[in-house]
Amino acid sequence: MKVALTVIKGPELGRVMEFTEPRGFIIGRAKDADFVIPKDDYISRRHVYLEICPPHCRLQDIGNTNPAHVNGEPFTERELADGDVVEVGYTQLRVSLSAQVTPRVWKCPRCGHAIDLLPGEADPGQCPACIEKQQREAQAAHARQPEHCGTCGADLTQRANSDGRAEELHEVAVYACEQCVPREGKSAGTMIDEYELCRPLGEGGFGTVSLVYHQPTARVLALKQMKDLKDEHLVKRFEREVRLLKGLAHPNVVRCIDTGVDSRGAPYLVTEYVPNESLEDMVIARGGQLARDFVLPLICDVLTGLEYIHVQSIIHRDIKPSNILLRHAPGAPARSTPTPKLADFGLAVSYARAGGTRVTKHGTGFGTLMYMSPQQVQDAGTVRESADTYAVGVTLYYLLTGKYSFDFPTPTEIAEFQKKMKGGWKKPVEALQALMQLRRILHPFQIILSEEPIPVQKRDPSLPRDLAAVVDKAVRKEAKARFQTAAEFRHALQQVVG
């Protein structure tokens, strides 16, 4: 699997750049660009951004001067094909995409089942079937866990314990009898393996999320279908990688319960269903800013969950308010502090390795990019823990002030603009683009790489100085200047909270 760029016109004529791993790649005049083209007045300092996910590559024009061209036609963003010619100023690059891969056959030492592993993949030790068999045997010895329908109270103990996981999932599973399962939408009743689709829950950069019902155990769960992953070998590797998430259990991370590949060859991930809301939902509902005494303990819990996944050698890479789900205890007052749960951890790199692109796709919320550190913009595949602490820092900044750490429209501002224009732009992404033109706002990548974050006390002078110092450190552009670990960030925040 390879993406290659060959300069066929310009100062670097003949230069070849090859990529076998996912990464971002910027072309422009700036010294920090990945491919520097100096002394060309038709090129911006950072002009185009390539999201490289071999064997796929998407291109986005992020410059503010002359548009780049693909095969002689101007573009904003597009998927590149083998043989395409990208023209940036006076320089032309030919794109070569290679999808050839030679897997090696590995056999499970327990059962002999053969698995095709891609180059660079480590031997899994045992095949997934053997691992799950051992887990079921261990779980079968556990005591029966009583479970009931969360709506009508019907006894579901026998079904809940049928797979031996009722005790393990007691704190996270939602149970319902057939009569109490909510079903709506065109897809209701469709089966994906043993999971019945009940209703859509949303759509994100990785795929679509649905409420599903697992009839054998009476569990109500969430199923995420990954989109735009087409290569059979890459899909299988993705499924093997995310299967490792099933062993992770922490109160502040969304529990992964199952994985698989559907009949169309698309991988899916089944997780606990968090029936309340995300932090983003709460911010929008409460007018773009949350109370300090509510936010600080909540973010400390988020950092506790982040510390746990970092110990497992997982970098999240996609932390933002919409990926922090809030679970309220049954019967708890509406204004009580919920339990925050990190969602979508561990998916970003596996998705990119499987050829999936996200940040350059049309309709991707530019606001999402505002949580990415400069290092992640330039090369998401190599970032470490401080990229995640940066994203939590921007999240904290946003919750306390209702603003990002840079000047860029927030979802609340976009909604207010749409209301003011009385339906002039029905889609938020269209309203955002109009706002960016009106205020002459640069592309988020340009902002993140070239501007300095706004000190948080300039947003809200009432914030205590010691709290402001913690927030400002968390969102510093230089990786070494910010918190290096989630534990370090949490300890600093706890000292402020007192």
Side-chain angles (χ1 to χ4, degrees), residues 211-260:
L211 186 75
V212 296
Y213 185 56
H214 189 240
Q215 196 275 341
T217 60
R219 294 187 191 117
V220 178
L221 305 162
L223 184 147
K224 183 182 288 284
Q225 291 174 284
M226 314 307 291
K227 57 186 178 182
D228 301 329
L229 302 184
K230 302 170 184 176
D231 184 273
E232 179 183 359
H233 293 299
L234 293 178
V235 163
K236 288 181 178 178
R237 179 172 72 174
F238 173 87
E239 198 272 337
R240 286 193 293 271
E241 288 184 357
V242 299
R243 185 178 288 270
L244 299 176
L245 303 178
K246 291 175 63 176
L248 305 184
H250 189 277
N252 298 120
V253 300
V254 171
R255 184 69 182 270
C256 176
I257 294 172
D258 195 10
T259 65

Side-chain angles (χ1 to χ4, degrees), residues 145-445:
Q145 173 65 47
E147 297 292 356
H148 298 80
C149 174
T151 302
C152 70
D155 187 356
L156 299 172
T157 300
Q158 183 173 351
R159 288 167 61 185
N161 286 271
S162 62
D163 65 348
R165 301 187 70 184
E167 184 178 18
E168 169 200 352
L169 301 176
H170 176 62
E171 296 296 326
V172 299
V174 174
Y175 289 92
C177 60
E178 281 84 350
Q179 292 74 24
C180 295
V181 176
R183 297 177 174 90
E184 59 184 69
K186 295 180 180 179
S187 63
T190 303
M191 298 298 295
I192 295 180
D193 292 339
E194 291 186 323
Y195 301 96
E196 176 194 351
L197 297 184
C198 298
R199 62 179 173 89
L201 293 176
E203 184 172 0
F206 297 117
T208 57
V209 187
S210 302
L211 186 75
V212 296
Y213 185 56
H214 189 240
Q215 196 275 341
T217 60
R219 294 187 191 117
V220 178
L221 305 162
L223 184 147
K224 183 182 288 284
Q225 291 174 284
M226 314 307 291
K227 57 186 178 182
D228 301 329
L229 302 184
K230 302 170 184 176
D231 184 273
E232 179 183 359
H233 293 299
L234 293 178
V235 163
K236 288 181 178 178
R237 179 172 72 174
F238 173 87
E239 198 272 337
R240 286 193 293 271
E241 288 184 357
V242 299
R243 185 178 288 270
L244 299 176
L245 303 178
K246 291 175 63 176
L248 305 184
H250 189 277
N252 298 120
V253 300
V254 171
R255 184 69 182 270
C256 176
I257 294 172
D258 195 10
T259 65
V261 179
D262 66 23
S263 58
R264 296 177 301 173
Y268 64 84
L269 183 70
V270 181
T271 70
E272 68 171 288
Y273 169 51
V274 182
N276 301 114
E277 58 189 342
S278 72
L279 255 181
E280 186 69 78
D281 296 330
M282 179 176 285
V283 169
I284 294 173
R286 298 189 184 180
Q289 195 172 356
L290 300 180
R292 194 182 311 159
D293 58 353
F294 173 85
V295 167
L296 298 183
L298 187 141
I299 292 297
C300 284
D301 287 345
V302 169
L303 289 165
T304 300
L306 183 60
E307 184 179 356
Y308 172 78
I309 67 171
H310 282 173
V311 168
Q312 317 303 320
S313 300
I314 296 172
I315 308 299
H316 193 298
R317 293 181 175 86
D318 198 27
I319 297 174
K320 53 190 176 183
S322 60
N323 271 344
I324 300 173
L325 307 183
L326 304 176
R327 184 161 195 164
H328 293 273
R335 290 282 176 170
S336 62
T337 301
T339 299
K341 290 177 169 281
L342 281 167
D344 280 0
F345 62 93
L347 294 186
V349 164
S350 295
Y351 184 76
R353 283 177 184 153
T357 57
R358 296 191 307 127
V359 299
T360 52
K361 284 181 180 173
H362 179 70
T364 298
F366 279 173
T368 294
L369 305 182
M370 301 310 293
Y371 296 92
M372 292 173 61
S373 69
Q375 296 76 28
Q376 188 168 339
V377 167
Q378 293 177 305
D379 189 359
T382 61
V383 295
R384 302 306 305 158
E385 288 83 353
S386 65
D388 283 346
T389 62
Y390 177 94
V392 177
V394 178
T395 298
L396 176 57
Y397 189 113
Y398 174 68
L399 299 179
L400 292 173
T401 67
K403 304 283 187 181
Y404 299 127
S405 53
F406 297 102
D407 270 330
F408 196 81
T410 64
T412 300
E413 291 175 299
I414 295 168
E416 290 174 352
F417 180 69
Q418 284 180 286
K419 185 176 180 180
K420 181 179 178 181
M421 300 309 294
K422 299 179 180 179
W425 291 277
K426 294 183 179 180
K427 295 182 179 179
V429 65
E430 295 172 350
L432 171 58
Q433 289 169 344
L435 260 176
M436 290 174 66
Q437 289 182 343
L438 187 65
R439 299 182 186 177
R440 297 185 178 181
I441 296 173
L442 298 176
H443 189 283
F445 287 164

